[in-house]
Amino acid sequence: TTILGRRREVKEINSSAYMEREFGKRVAMNTPIQGTSADIMKIAMIKIHDYMKKNNCKSKLIMQIHDELVFDLIEEEKHLIEVFKNIMEEASNLSVKLVASYGIGKDWYLAK
């Protein structure tokens, strides 16, 4: 179960086959971590989408890659980078502060 309560059933954990059971154990240990990360990213994306819609932004959220978001920002909306950074950092109410960073470039490779 993730911190937000999303549940993943792991049927393999009760398998009589050793390798399948071990796989189930890895999934059971990994799901709360990766699943919570995915939940937080989805919350951030929804909040960013809502902000962009409310403010009639012309820039576009292009894609998500694991814990990264890729935007096509128009020049007049470059200020949105800090807005999106703040939204991502505040997407969850964890006891540990989330820190987001960004890069700028003509393509994803150059933005790294």
Side-chain angles (χ1 to χ4, degrees), residues 6-37:
R6 192 163 49 93
R7 187 175 164 88
R8 179 175 181 181
E9 186 176 349
V10 184
K11 295 177 183 178
E12 297 87 354
I13 205 139
N14 295 317
S15 174
S16 59
Y18 174 79
M19 294 298 284
E20 195 170 330
R21 191 171 56 251
E22 290 301 305
F23 170 76
K25 288 179 186 178
R26 288 190 303 277
V27 168
M29 289 188 298
N30 192 34
T31 293
I33 298 163
Q34 268 194 315
T36 297
S37 176

Side-chain angles (χ1 to χ4, degrees), residues 48-59:
I48 288 170
H49 170 78
D50 291 347
Y51 180 92
M52 292 177 78
K53 190 172 182 179
K54 179 182 173 188
N55 292 283
N56 296 315
C57 297
K58 294 179 181 141
S59 297

